Structures are given as structure tokens and as C-alpha cells.
Amino acid sequence: MAFLFQVLCNLEFVLAHRGDIREKEFRKENGRMAISKKVKGALNGASWVRRMFEEGEELKRTYGEENVFDFSLGNPNLEPPPSLKKALKDLADHPITGMHRYMANNGYSETRKVIAEYLSEESGLPFEEKHIVMTVGAAGGLNVILKALLDEGDEVIVPSPYFMEFKFYIENSGGQIHLVETNEDFSLNLKEIEKAIGERTKAILINSPNNPTGVVYNRESLEKLSDLLKRKNKVLGKTIHLITDEAYRRIVFDGIELPIPFRYYPHTLRVTSHSKDLSLPGERIGYVAVSPLCEDLDEMMAALVFANRTLGFVNAPALMQRLVAPLQRNSVNIRIYEEKRDLFYNALKDFGYQIIKPQGAFYLFPKAPIEDDVAFIKELQSKRILTVPGRGFGKPGYFRLAYAVDKKVIERALPGFKEVAEKYGLMRN
Amino acid sequence: MAFLFQVLCNLEFVLAHRGDIREKEFRKENGRMAISKKVKGALNGASWVRRMFEEGEELKRTYGEENVFDFSLGNPNLEPPPSLKKALKDLADHPITGMHRYMANNGYSETRKVIAEYLSEESGLPFEEKHIVMTVGAAGGLNVILKALLDEGDEVIVPSPYFMEFKFYIENSGGQIHLVETNEDFSLNLKEIEKAIGERTKAILINSPNNPTGVVYNRESLEKLSDLLKRKNKVLGKTIHLITDEAYRRIVFDGIELPIPFRYYPHTLRVTSHSKDLSLPGERIGYVAVSPLCEDLDEMMAALVFANRTLGFVNAPALMQRLVAPLQRNSVNIRIYEEKRDLFYNALKDFGYQIIKPQGAFYLFPKAPIEDDVAFIKELQSKRILTVPGRGFGKPGYFRLAYAVDKKVIERALPGFKEVAEKYGLMRN
């Protein structure tokens, strides 16, 4: 639950920084301030999040942890596939001399080679090991990309709702986040993106399958995005990079094939991890792959490696680099997530909730029946159901459910959802 | 060797950024620049480092890798202790459900608890698990501390010679490095530190045992530093924090006891890792510990956890957190490093090189017999000996030897060192 609190802290950070008023108050108050003013802003502003967290903790103490239905965290509950466990055992039984030492900052050549082979097959592009940088998860990879790309004041366009950590990552490298609305169904709104592109636009960052909506951006929208970016590049005389956060790429449903952004736009950088497909989020293993068609490729790769080193990551964890190499085509049983989506989505629809049916990831993002999403999640809290308000993802009036939990937790929470639906007149029959 | 190149790139970065002249040239040249100007500055400036690296590579191709004596990298060649290997095997044989999942951003409670116990015993201070944040190595930990502390333009004082990555780490969080000279024997120069402290000073960052000199700052100098900081805090009406990079803390020789900075100054943050004591540098496992006496402690801990999360580390690798917990009192056989130091130091002294005898880490930092350290390391290169010039550590006129290599490499390189010493008239007998 401490984790939940830390995740939630970012919600209020954004609110706190809408104006500079609070910052000025801090300055006045804190002549002897020890920590960074910016960080202090984030921490001071989090009072309501702290309250929410404490109320959740209180619920667990009162009713027992098993009687509180926690959908607030995207922490996969599936175990890694047996192939991963076997690979770990093999390596522990037959350790290789030097296997825990430093390697080149971009990671083991062997690991990057198999990833390049996999990507070549997937995209039809001639990926080589030199196009890959192994990273400390996708979060590490995003920070590495942004450090490599951004100068003070550069803008990164992000379709909203969005994973709010993106804002911190962009600001870490001196950049500015430029949010654009998506369509009603959370698909890409090309008109809004076009309006947002300007002289300071350095990149657009998309996340598909999306956290928090579970929506997958389809092929047509990626083609149109590519056309738009190419046109803008010509007009503006520069290159806008497409950063694709594909952390949930293996988790797609209904037999759909996830469109491969590399196929549509040359200046594409993918960041992904094995946190979800191999259920290894705590191990921090992921990679950045740059399209072989990307402009100034050698310089880009050198910049990424430099950023990986100097941001203090140095290299992705050695042992995990070795373990995931042969498992590029493996994953946990995605069908399990799909069943949970079906169960949860169908039940909530029956209760009258408005939801876009997600085709990937492990989130639902229903509309709250009242405008005030924080008030509404408190209503759910009274049924011992923990969720995150939509404003935590730049979209007030909605709420996020992370269903990477045991099926039983979903089943046992449904009556609570139903009661709240009844209270707000959502049930039609 | 790609690693060497990446490490060396930082040397020229600093030179390139002494003036803004180059940056202006870049701007003119690169209207369509893809990557960050600052990063481009580092990469473009590295031409002589690249040449040096390529010459080293050429030597290895020509003479065979085993006939080139590479002292350029601090990559421990010892294997982790058997206790670590056994712990890995036990865990692989009996995996724990959920052991690869996310945990709280500050790390496993169990791991932090044993570290707190160890620190309490060592320092006599009441450390608790809440004072510890598990980090992605010491490099990750330093970035976390600096992010938590610094606002734009804040200064961090660093005694020189120093590990030059510190400059990047400080600048990542908008800070400025303020270098101060050490004494002739590389001990702390309190007068220089006093002169450097001003309104913008936020912290002083010391590294003992030191990279590149191997020098250990003694108890007396830490006491004096503490007195100085306390006095300055009063005068300036603020708190200057002491950041101690103790990555080499277990590697000390001659039976000396490493002074514990926690004992002398309340506002102390230690960062360390298991890269050297357990020979796990590639696994990126370390921690930040904050003195229980530190001002505004709760706020400081919250800021560190926030920084660990938002910089993209998220948490230290889960598996390694588990493995290192019971090994806080273990380490590789330090005596092996001490024997290498004795062998290398004594031989070089015999040849007439001027060296401060190091009492820790695995580096020697001799004076070059000519002013131009780059010219001198090229001389050594002609004997197939690879080293790093002192200017790579803020100290031209010296050179660094990393001796975490096989004893044979040292022995076989000695004739080359002797010939060069003879050429420059260092041999007296």
C-alpha cells in the first residue's frame, strides 16, 4: 500500500503546479528548506492523496486485507512463465564467470542480437544489435530517450488520458508536456495533434495498448499520424520523433494484431519492457529500439548510450539481460487477462456503467456517473473497493480499474459496483 | 572496449563545455538537429577520446587481447563470494510467489531492515528500515539524492581529483559542480572547502576510498569537515548536506578502519552499492541511507522515494535485493586486492614513479613524469599499456591505473612501465 501512496502522489503534483502560487508560499515558508523546492511541491500537494491512501489502509485494518478489493495498482499477479524459472535455475546451477560484471552500457551483444532478429521479423526492417539499448525497464528507457532528445523548453506531445509519470519523465530532461485530447473512444485525435505541433515540438509520445484506457491505436490512425508528422517535418524543416511506449504490447485480446509503429514512420523509437509479458516488473528489464530508418542513426544511438550511462542506470541488470534473451517469443498466458477483462467488463456494462471495451493491457477506464471522480471513488471505497480517479490520468470524470488481480477479487467486488450503480440510477432494468 | 570508449567520452565533454563557443558552432551547423544540444556537445567533443579508444582496439587486434595490458577500467575481476552463488541457487530452486513483482519504491522492508541493523551497529546511531532506500547501484543512488536536494543553480562542492561522472549527475538535476583542490597527498583541504561554501551551496559530495586516488579520508579530516559545516550552517542560516559515496568502503588495506561519516555529521546521506564488495557491478544493486539525525528526516525520505520513482528507476532490482540482504557482512577476499596494490605500488615506486600509497579501492594515481598526461599515456600505449589520463578526473599531469585485473596482467606490464621510467629518467639507481 505504500506503493499505492507513492503512485498517487503524482496526481496532486500536477494540480499543485498549475499555478506558481503554492511555490511562492513554499519559498516564504521555507527559508531553510532542505529538499528541492520542486520535489517539495509534489510532496506538500499530496495531502488529499495521502488521506485517500490512509483511508484504504484503515479499511484493510478494519475488514482484513482479503475483504478489501484493491484495483488501484498495475502490479501483474501472474507468475513468470516456466521457461523463465527454468532459465534462472540453469544459470544458478551453472554460473558463468563474469556474469555479474559491467558490460558495455548498451547491454550484452547476444541479448541485443536476438531482440534485433525478433524485431526484424516483426517489422520487416533490417534491425541489428546496434539499434538496441537494454534499459532499466520501460520507465528507465523513456528517461533515456527523453534525455537524449530534449533541450530546455522542448515540447513532447502526449495524447490524454495518459500515464501521468510521463510528465515527470519529460520534465526531468527540461522538457514540457503538451497534452492533447483523444476522441470519445480514446482513439488518436489527429486534428488535435496537428494543432499542437509547433516550433518547439520535439517528439510525440504514444502508449498503446494504453494505460489507463486499455485502448489499442489501430493501423489506420498510425498511418495518418505518420503522414501528419512527415508533412509537418517538411513544413517546419526538422524531424519530430515518434516515441512508442509498448510496455503492454503482448497483452492484446480478441485475436487482434497490434499494429507495429516501426512500419509506418521512420523516426520511431520503441520503448518496452518484460514487466508485463514475462511478469518481471520488479526486475527492471526492458529496452529501447530505434528504427533502422531513423535520421542520424549513429548519433542517436550514441546519445542514448550516453544518457543510459550518465543518468545513473549504467546498464540494465546483467542477470536479467541473460535470462530474457531466449524468451523474446514467450509470455505469460494472455488468455487469463482476457477472461478477466470479459468478466469485469460485461458485469460493469450490465450494471449500466459506460466503458470503452479495451483490447489490451489490464485496465478498465469507466465513466463515473457523477462529474466529481474523487467523490465517486469514495463511494466505491465505502464498498471496500479501491480505484484511482481519472484526474490521476488527466481525465476527471472517469476512474481506472487495474484487474491484474485474482479472479476472486473481481467476483467479490461486483456486488459493491452494483449497489453503487443502483444508487446513481445506472441500472435500467 | 566499447565500455572504455563510453567511459572516456566524459573527459572531453568537460573540456568542450568550458566555453560556449562550441555550442554556438553546433547551433549554426545543426538547424535540424535531432538529439539534445547538450548531449551532442558531449559526443562531438569526444574526438580525441575516440582516437585513443580506437588505438587501443587496434593494439588488441594487432597483438592479441592477452598481450595488451588494460588498466583503464574499474570492472572488478573477482567473482562474487560463494555465499552469493549459494543464495542465488537456493532461490532458483525454491522460487517465492511474487518475488519478481513491484514492491514499494524504497525496496523490500526485510532488506532495509537488515541494512539498518548493520548500520546501527557500525555507527552507533538508531537506524531503522525507514532510513534506507534501495537503489539501482550507487550511480542510481547519487542521482536520486541529487534530484531530491537540488534546485536549478544549486551548487555541490566536490574535492578533486574526482570521479567525473559526478558532474553529469549533478547537472542532471540542474545543479552546478564546484570543484575544490585537495592537498598534495589528496587528503581533504578544509581551507579550500571553506572558501567554496556560499549562498548556493546545497551539499558537499565526498568519495572515500577515492576513485581515482585510492586515498581514504581520515577521522580527523571528517571531524574538521563536520565542524566547518556546522559553523557555516549557523552563519548562513541553512543546512548543507554531506553526501558520502562509499562504493569502495569494504576495500581498505593495512588493517585500517574506515571512518564512518555518520558519526561526525548529522545531515549525512550515504550512498553505496554491492558492486565492489560482492562483485555485482552489472546487477545495479545499492542503497541510500540517511542519518537518523538528519534535519527534516521524513520529508527527506519522501523526497528520495519520489526521486527514485520518477527518475525511472522505480525500484532496485527485486531478485538482487533479496540476495544481498543476508550478505551485509560478507565480501570478496579484500586481501587479493591488497596484494595487487602492494605488487603494483612497490614496483612502480622502484621504477621511480611518484605515487601516494592508496589505502583503499583498486586504483593507483601516479604523477606523470611530464606535464602532458595525454602524451604520457600514449607513451605507455606504445608498450601496450592502457590507462586513463588524469584530466579524466580533473587532475592533468597524473594518470590512473585500475588494478582489479589478474595479477599476471600487472606482472607482464611491469617491464613496459620500467622502460618508460628509464626513458624519462625516473630510475635513480
Side-chain angles (χ1 to χ4, degrees), chain A residues 2-3 5-10 13 23 30-40 42-44 50 74-80 84-85 88-89 91-93 95-106 136-141 143 146-152 154 165 168-169 171-172 200 202 233 237-239 241 275-276 279-284 295-296 299-300 302-307 309-321 323, chain B residues 2-3 5-10 13 23 30-40 42-44 50 74-80 84-85 88-89 91-93 95-106 136-141 143 146-152 154 165 168-169 171-172 200 202 233 237-239 241 275-276 279-284 295-296 299-300 302-307 309-321 323:
Chain A
F3 179 71
F5 173 64
Q6 289 149 10
V7 168
L8 291 176
C9 283
N10 67 6
F13 182 85
E23 173 127 4
N30 297 283
R32 287 174 59 100
M33 195 186 299
I35 65 168
S36 155
K37 289 183 196 80
K38 205 173 173 183
V39 173
K40 184 154 178 128
L43 300 174
N44 275 12
R50 190 185 302 261
N75 195 358
N77 70 319
L78 298 182
E79 284 298 290
L84 189 281
K85 293 190 179 190
L88 176 61
K89 197 169 148 27
L91 202 56
D93 287 343
I96 297 161
T97 301
M99 73 182 194
H100 302 294
R101 287 182 204 159
Y102 289 125
M103 79 297 304
N105 295 127
N106 52 358
V136 172
N143 275 280
L146 293 163
K147 177 80 178 179
L149 282 178
L150 301 185
D151 283 301
E152 200 69 29
D154 281 345
E165 301 290 88
F168 297 114
Y169 300 167
E171 290 176 354
N172 283 340
R200 292 313 304 260
K202 199 73 191 255
N233 286 345
K238 65 172 181 178
T239 302
H241 287 81
S275 296
K276 281 82 187 187
S279 263
L280 295 171
E283 304 298 356
R284 317 307 305 129
E295 192 180 67
D296 297 330
E299 186 173 78
M300 180 65 74
L304 292 169
V305 171
F306 172 83
R309 187 190 101 217
T310 56
L311 288 174
F313 299 109
V314 183
N315 56 249
L319 184 67
M320 286 296 148
Q321 284 193 50
L323 295 185
Chain B
F3 180 70
F5 173 63
Q6 290 149 8
V7 169
L8 290 177
C9 282
N10 67 6
F13 182 85
E23 173 125 5
N30 298 283
R32 288 174 58 98
M33 196 187 298
I35 64 168
S36 155
K37 290 183 197 80
K38 207 171 171 184
V39 173
K40 183 153 178 130
L43 300 174
N44 273 11
R50 190 184 302 260
N75 195 359
N77 71 319
L78 298 182
E79 284 298 291
L84 189 283
K85 292 189 180 190
L88 176 61
K89 198 171 151 16
L91 201 56
D93 287 343
I96 297 162
T97 301
M99 74 182 194
H100 302 293
R101 285 183 206 158
Y102 288 124
M103 77 298 304
N105 295 128
N106 52 358
V136 172
N143 275 280
L146 293 163
K147 177 80 178 178
L149 282 178
L150 300 185
D151 283 302
E152 200 69 29
D154 281 345
E165 301 291 88
F168 297 114
Y169 300 167
E171 289 176 355
N172 284 339
R200 292 313 305 257
K202 199 75 191 252
N233 286 345
K238 65 172 182 179
T239 303
H241 288 81
S275 296
K276 281 83 186 186
S279 262
L280 294 172
E283 305 297 357
R284 317 306 305 129
E295 192 181 67
D296 297 329
E299 186 174 77
M300 179 65 75
L304 292 169
V305 171
F306 172 83
R309 189 190 99 216
T310 55
L311 288 174
F313 298 108
V314 183
N315 56 249
L319 183 67
M320 286 296 149
Q321 285 192 51
L323 295 185

Side-chain angles (χ1 to χ4, degrees), chain A residues 61-122:
Chain A
R61 269 193 302 273
T62 310
Y63 296 96
E65 197 139 346
E66 68 289 359
N67 294 314
V68 178
F69 316 116
D70 194 343
F71 303 105
S72 59
L73 284 183
N75 195 358
N77 70 319
L78 298 182
E79 284 298 290
S83 51
L84 189 281
K85 293 190 179 190
K86 189 180 172 304
L88 176 61
K89 197 169 148 27
D90 287 350
L91 202 56
D93 287 343
H94 309 286
I96 297 161
T97 301
M99 73 182 194
H100 302 294
R101 287 182 204 159
Y102 289 125
M103 79 297 304
N105 295 127
N106 52 358
Y108 288 125
S109 169
E110 304 72 33
T111 305
R112 292 182 291 117
K113 207 173 154 192
V114 295
I115 291 174
E117 278 165 17
Y118 173 82
L119 290 176
S120 298
E121 195 181 299
E122 182 194 72

